[in-house]
Amino acid sequence: VSQSRYTTTWQPYSVAANTKTTLNTQTASYTAVLLDAGKTLLMDSASANTVTIPPESSANFDLGTFIDAVQLGTGQTSFVAGSGVTIRNPFSALTLSEQYASARITKIAADTWLISDNMTP
């Protein structure tokens, strides 16, 4: 994609192909799959719902893989660790704080994920 920007004169610049995410809308609880790597899950439910992070034996994500999630609906979204999976964060919080809150979950070791952003205990 070719764009222009102004410094002291207008100059063309390119927008990298990886500057946008693919959206994956879910209307009920959901278990992440390998194709979710780098995507944003839009959890659009009026009822409480969960995003389950599966163990490596089910979906072996590469280290450093991230998945973003947004609580789009009014139903509270929580993260669930699959069998043998550990989800780490400073307050042991696994629930998005409110509607439109978002979080990123990143694989940091074998069956270990770090969650950050708008979480509530």
Side-chain angles (χ1 to χ4, degrees):
V1 175
S2 182
Q3 301 283 328
S4 296
R5 67 178 173 182
Y6 186 79
T7 52
T8 54
T9 60
W10 285 100
Q11 301 172 353
Y13 73 96
S14 295
V15 175
N18 62 353
T19 57
K20 64 181 182 177
T21 186
T22 299
L23 303 176
N24 178 358
T25 302
Q26 298 295 320
T27 57
S29 293
Y30 179 73
T31 298
V33 297
L34 291 175
L35 291 175
D36 291 319
K39 290 185 179 178
T40 299
L41 301 176
L42 298 177
M43 302 305 291
D44 192 8
S45 176
S47 302
N49 58 84
T50 60
V51 175
T52 300
I53 304 303
E56 286 188 353
S57 60
S58 297
N60 192 6
F61 291 93
D62 291 335
L63 290 179
T65 295
F66 69 87
I67 300 168
D68 292 329
V70 176
Q71 181 182 313
L72 191 60
T74 55
Q76 195 162 43
T77 300
S78 298
F79 290 88
V80 174
S83 178
V85 173
T86 301
I87 299 176
R88 303 214 184 270
N89 75 4
F91 307 106
S92 299
L94 297 177
T95 302
L96 287 168
S97 60
E98 58 193 327
Q99 189 176 18
Y100 308 120
S102 64
R104 174 168 283 187
I105 189 158
T106 305
K107 185 174 181 183
I108 59 171
D111 280 328
T112 305
W113 293 73
L114 176 69
I115 194 166
S116 58
D117 295 325
N118 300 298
M119 305 303 290
T120 187

